[in-house]
Amino acid sequence: MSTSLDSGWFTEVFDSQGSAFSLKVTGKLHDVQSDYQHLEVYATETFGNLMVLDGCVMLTDRDNFLYHEMIAHPALFTHADPKRVVIIGGGDCGTLREVLRHPGVERVTQIDIDEEVTRAAERFFPALTESNDDPRAELAFIDGVRWVDEAEAESVDVLIIDSTDPVGPAEGLFTTDFLRRCHRLLRSGGVMVQQSESPLYHSGSIIHSLRRDMREAGFDSVATLPFPQPVYPSGWWSVTLAGKGREVNDFREQDAREAGLPLDYYTADIHRGALALPPFMRRAFD
């Protein structure tokens, strides 16, 4: 992975796949080296503000709703009655906002090691942080792996791993050992969801390994849901769900249809369709 800024274009180069993605920028708004990563925010011509971590595109104003809705709502509508939700990562707070759209959720804890991400989101992506003052929300800027280790067993209904790519600060979130600790944290009937990279680039590698490791960690069922994400490598992304004593290939479809949430991508039909994987993905998982 490499980046360049040339003639007013921000370009993220995905070297291993011989591909790149570019956005025309009109200026740099923010640049800080935190204790964990290099964070930049740019203004773009057509995608609004752009957040970049260690040279990798994290989100834009224009299309972040795709990712945030798909990492949150499928998991919440798969669980029978989610009350206690934990988000590991998610420092931009977009996933937190989506979780808090569910009135039945009683408490959400977001754990992100890098407070700079949240502070930048508050300044440059205020729509994503509009629910941060919700009394059900708790923000903790600590190591997510350590938090999982120290949390009470069987205390969480839905666990969302909203991480960056499996390198640097997020590397520890893609291991079988960590998944076992997540399994311990969930109550019976609990659901875990993790961002799982590009179906086109990673079905036979990262996604295949994550699904296998989830089962080895004790989860009873897994499901990978692909969805469009223009600013990420290949323009296509995925989340993978795992259930503890729950089948994650089924969900509360009628509840999803009747929820009336103010969303831009997720619907019950989108959820049902995302569960129908194309043949090349199914072959990669065999």
Side-chain angles (χ1 to χ4, degrees):
M1 194 84 70
S2 60
T3 60
S4 67
L5 194 63
D6 182 53
S7 301
W9 289 82
F10 174 88
T11 300
E12 179 182 346
V13 179
F14 200 61
D15 297 279
S16 66
Q17 297 293 332
S19 65
F21 177 77
S22 296
L23 285 172
K24 191 170 186 180
V25 299
T26 57
K28 179 179 280 191
L29 305 176
H30 191 58
D31 190 332
V32 62
Q33 177 66 52
S34 76
D35 291 339
Y36 306 99
Q37 54 204 339
H38 182 204
L39 188 159
E40 301 165 281
V41 179
Y42 294 89
T44 76
E45 193 168 279
T46 58
F47 273 68
N49 287 347
L50 158 71
M51 180 183 287
V52 176
L53 293 178
D54 287 339
C56 299
V57 172
M58 288 297 106
L59 64 97
T60 73
D61 281 320
R62 185 172 182 176
D63 72 343
N64 74 80
F65 68 93
L66 297 162
Y67 177 90
H68 289 131
E69 291 184 17
M70 287 301 287
I71 201 170
H73 301 298
L76 288 163
F77 280 118
T78 296
H79 193 281
D81 186 20
K83 302 292 187 186
R84 176 77 170 100
V85 179
V86 171
I87 304 166
I88 305 294
D92 60 65
C93 303
T95 300
L96 176 67
R97 181 189 67 179
E98 296 305 318
V99 171
L100 289 168
R101 294 192 193 278
H102 291 250
V105 170
E106 296 176 351
R107 185 182 176 197
V108 188
T109 302
Q110 176 182 288
I111 302 107
D112 194 297
I113 199 168
D114 195 346
E115 186 173 356
E116 290 288 351
V117 175
T118 298
R119 300 308 167 216
E122 289 171 344
R123 287 181 61 190
F124 302 107
F125 301 87
L128 298 184
T129 63
E130 62 187 15
S131 298
N132 286 17
D133 293 330
D134 189 301
R136 298 173 293 163
E138 174 191 10
L139 275 64
F141 301 106
I142 55 177
D143 182 0
V145 174
R146 180 177 176 182
W147 188 93
V148 168
D149 285 345
E150 296 177 352
E152 181 183 353
E154 299 185 5
S155 60
V156 174
D157 295 315
V158 175
L159 178 60
I160 299 174
I161 311 299
D162 182 2
S163 68
T164 55
D165 295 335
V167 295
E171 189 171 6
L173 305 179
F174 285 78
T175 66
T176 307
D177 183 54
F178 177 69
L179 294 170
R180 288 195 183 97
R181 288 178 261 174
C182 292
H183 185 272
R184 179 193 70 87
L185 194 62
L186 288 170
R187 298 183 177 117
S188 178
V191 175
M192 173 183 176
V193 59
Q194 185 156 356
Q195 79 84 7
S196 48
E197 306 287 306
S198 165
L200 189 61
Y201 290 169
H202 303 119
S203 282
S205 54
I206 293 172
I207 305 175
H208 177 274
S209 297
L210 178 61
R211 290 167 60 94
R212 177 201 63 209
D213 292 348
M214 283 174 160
R215 291 190 179 278
E216 290 183 0
F219 289 97
D220 301 293
S221 62
V222 298
T224 299
L225 286 69
F227 56 93
Q229 191 63 58
V231 301
Y232 287 175
S234 82
W236 204 17
W237 218 242
S238 70
V239 295
T240 296
L241 280 69
K244 181 177 181 178
R246 184 161 193 88
E247 175 53 67
V248 293
N249 288 280
D250 293 322
F251 67 104
R252 293 183 287 113
E253 191 164 347
Q254 193 61 31
D255 287 349
R257 293 187 186 282
E258 296 174 354
L261 302 180
L263 306 180
D264 292 312
Y265 185 74
Y266 177 87
T267 66
D269 289 334
I270 289 288
H271 189 157
R272 176 60 61 195
L275 289 167
L277 296 180
F280 85 91
M281 290 184 72
R282 294 199 304 270
R283 288 194 300 269
F285 300 156
D286 290 339

